Amino acid sequence: MSFSTLQLAREAVDNSNYDLANEIYDRLLKESKPSISILVGKGECCAKAGRLSEALDAYAQACRLGEVRPEELESLVDSLVDKLCTKDGSSSVVVQEHLHEPLDMFTCIFCYGIIYEPATLSCGHTFCRVCFEQDSTKRCKLCNERQEQVKSDVLLSGQFKKYFADTYKAGKLRTEGFLMYNEGKYAEAMTLYTEAAEFAPSDHLITSNKSLVFIAQEKVSEGISEANRTCELQPRWPMGYFRKGSALMAARRYEEALTCLLQCLSLDSTATSARVTLAKVLQKMLSPLATENLKHTEIQSLGGTTKIANPISIFSTGWDNLASAISRGFDKFEGKRRIGKKTKSSNASASSNDIASKTICSKQSPVLRIETNKFEEVCSTSLQGLTIIFLLNTIFHPLTNYCLKKSILNSVHSFIRCRIIFM
């Protein structure tokens, strides 16, 4: 094999001349003994050209000759995500519209939980301070503005603590639990998470962190159960599917892990951790397994006595069918969530006989709603205005009881009218 010929093929790939590169790789495979470098190069070329089936075959052959690092499957991951997880993909996953609906002002777009220790960026958008600090890009997810350092918004933090007291108690315990987890104190972390769940039993971040602890303790089945619960509680959160995919990978259930990771990337195609884990899963699926660890229905003969698992069995039914399977996963979680919400709603309405609360605090209250919209336009950049907007949205929040709604309404209603009239 000529090094210059192989280099020529790589340059052709870099210049997006995939037909020429593929021709060179095919000639090298015929004229010389197959090697990992040639097969990985051919796989990269086919992946970038969108010929995924050929790419998978080339990578699988490379894995039979030796170890292929997950980093070498980056092009395969990119092509797979482009095909299945983006709107322009030829077999894209169908993600329900409500899963992409804008979040309310209480919710952090990073963790999809109630904003804990809010930090307002220079662009005016607010997130959890810890969530933004942990994001490697240091960019606002709403407007893409970059900001290196952030500080907690004391005013908003005080309001959140006042109106979401239980959630903040749970957030404090959850943060302490994560510190314990990082120190390897898994039992202490689990105790804190369990205590946090008493304040916020429907907090998907708690179940997600519990899954992380269970996996660290090698309690894989419990980790999968908690990850599954996370997806049920918040089917819009991409990292919930990442957590479940990681748990399934730990259980060596690679095909299920692949599906979950693609669900995560369907909601957020930029999730770096999901892409890295997806590459590891694909490497495991493509790598040969010991014969004694295989079921007879999962092995195939490749000449001689070597037997390996079929590395692309999950793709054998076609890309459209795989996309449909991923889409059905969203339906399953959202269906359970709707049933739970319907039950809670019916119970709440049966126990509530206060017609006034429905009239004053309904989202459809015409006068108050119109005034709120006008006020948002006028005071969208004002710190004081943001505070009042927060209080108004608290009125409309379904978790706020009637007495609290009425108290807030009385305290801000006259201020709203004056601001609108004189502006």
Side-chain angles (χ1 to χ4, degrees):
M1 178 184 68
S2 171
F3 176 77
S4 59
T5 306
L6 186 59
Q7 184 64 29
L8 180 64
R10 290 171 179 166
E11 290 178 0
V13 172
D14 293 338
N15 293 321
S16 302
N17 194 343
Y18 303 122
D19 290 336
L20 174 61
N22 193 53
E23 184 181 337
I24 295 173
Y25 282 123
D26 285 340
R27 188 186 311 132
L28 288 171
L29 289 171
K30 289 179 181 179
E31 295 177 354
S32 60
K33 185 178 180 180
S35 66
I36 295 177
S37 58
I38 296 177
L39 288 167
V40 168
K42 179 177 173 60
E44 180 183 0
C45 172
C46 292
K48 289 186 175 182
R51 289 141 58 176
L52 279 173
S53 296
E54 295 178 52
L56 284 165
D57 184 62
Y59 281 120
Q61 291 183 53
C63 289
R64 294 168 201 165
L65 297 178
E67 183 180 1
V68 175
R69 293 177 290 109
E71 302 82 52
E72 295 178 294
L73 301 177
E74 182 179 343
S75 296
L76 178 60
V77 170
D78 292 341
S79 184
L80 194 60
V81 171
D82 288 341
K83 187 178 185 66
L84 291 170
C85 303
T86 60
K87 291 182 179 180
D88 299 330
S90 56
S91 300
S92 59
V93 174
V94 178
V95 180
Q96 294 87 340
E97 290 184 5
H98 64 267
L99 293 179
H100 283 311
E101 288 177 356
L103 301 175
D104 59 50
M105 68 179 299
F106 299 103
T107 305
C108 172
I109 199 172
F110 286 96
C111 67
Y112 280 63
I114 298 294
I115 297 176
Y116 179 74
E117 294 185 354
T120 302
L121 309 187
S122 57
C123 59
H125 296 128
T126 303
F127 313 103
C128 299
R129 177 181 57 79
V130 175
C131 288
F132 186 82
E133 288 176 345
Q134 291 177 345
D135 182 58
S136 58
T137 64
K138 302 299 180 186
R139 290 185 179 276
C140 174
K141 275 202 168 186
L142 296 174
C143 66
N144 205 37
E145 181 174 320
R146 185 174 179 82
Q147 185 165 330
E148 291 294 336
Q149 295 181 341
V150 293
K151 294 181 179 180
S152 295
D153 190 319
V154 179
L155 183 59
L156 281 179
S157 183
Q159 296 294 332
F160 272 92
K161 286 180 181 179
K162 181 177 180 180
Y163 294 111
F164 298 101
D166 286 347
T167 302
Y168 253 66
K169 290 176 183 176
K172 186 172 185 291
L173 291 168
R174 189 182 69 236
T175 303
E176 293 174 359
F178 192 68
L179 292 175
M180 292 293 103
Y181 167 80
N182 286 335
E183 294 176 6
K185 300 177 181 178
Y186 303 132
E188 291 86 343
M190 187 59 70
T191 300
L192 289 166
Y193 290 144
T194 303
E195 187 178 346
E198 295 177 2
F199 291 101
S202 298
D203 189 342
H204 61 283
L205 299 175
I206 296 174
T207 55
S208 174
N209 288 2
K210 288 174 73 174
S211 174
L212 202 62
V213 174
F214 279 130
I215 296 302
Q217 294 177 322
E218 299 184 353
K219 298 178 181 179
V220 180
S221 59
E222 291 90 339
I224 294 174
S225 177
E226 291 293 341
N228 202 55
R229 175 67 174 153
T230 301
C231 296
E232 291 176 7
L233 290 171
Q234 183 47 276
R236 301 176 64 181
W237 189 40
M239 296 309 290
Y241 301 97
F242 167 71
R243 186 72 69 225
K244 185 179 179 183
S246 300
L248 289 167
M249 181 182 175
R252 299 182 181 179
R253 292 159 57 179
Y254 299 124
E255 292 188 359
E256 295 175 71
L258 176 74
T259 302
C260 289
L261 292 169
L262 289 173
Q263 283 179 301
C264 169
L265 291 165
S266 297
L267 294 172
D268 181 8
S269 59
T270 65
T272 305
S273 53
R275 285 175 175 265
V276 171
T277 306
L278 180 57
K280 295 178 180 178
V281 168
L282 287 169
Q283 187 227 22
K284 294 292 184 181
M285 293 178 66
L286 294 168
S287 299
L289 303 175
T291 306
E292 60 270 16
N293 293 333
L294 303 175
K295 299 177 182 178
H296 291 293
T297 56
E298 296 176 335
I299 60 177
Q300 61 180 358
S301 177
L302 297 173
T305 59
T306 305
K307 293 183 178 182
I308 69 168
N310 182 1
I312 54 175
S313 60
I314 192 172
F315 308 114
S316 60
T317 57
W319 300 106
D320 291 335
N321 290 337
L322 176 57
S324 298
I326 297 170
S327 301
R328 287 195 298 273
F330 289 125
D331 291 333
K332 179 184 70 173
F333 288 123
E334 185 59 26
K336 289 183 178 180
R337 192 164 181 261
R338 282 198 297 267
I339 292 172
K341 279 189 171 182
K342 186 175 180 181
T343 303
K344 291 179 181 179
S345 177
S346 60
N347 291 339
S349 61
S351 61
S352 175
N353 297 317
D354 197 334
I355 300 176
S357 72
K358 296 179 182 177
T359 304
I360 294 176
C361 304
S362 170
K363 285 188 178 181
Q364 282 72 40
S365 180
V367 177
L368 185 58
R369 195 58 188 169
I370 292 172
E371 290 182 350
T372 304
N373 290 336
K374 288 181 180 178
F375 191 72
E376 287 180 359
E377 294 176 8
V378 172
C379 302
S380 60
T381 58
S382 165
L383 188 59
Q384 189 177 26
L386 286 173
T387 304
I388 301 299
I389 293 170
F390 170 78
L391 295 177
L392 289 172
N393 279 272
T394 303
I395 294 173
F396 298 129
H397 197 277
L399 299 180
T400 307
N401 61 45
Y402 169 61
C403 293
L404 179 56
K405 288 179 179 180
K406 190 173 181 180
S407 175
I408 297 172
L409 182 61
N410 291 335
S411 64
V412 303
H413 191 62
S414 59
F415 177 78
I416 295 173
R417 287 186 180 278
C418 292
R419 292 283 286 184
I420 293 175
I421 290 171
F422 291 104
M423 286 186 149

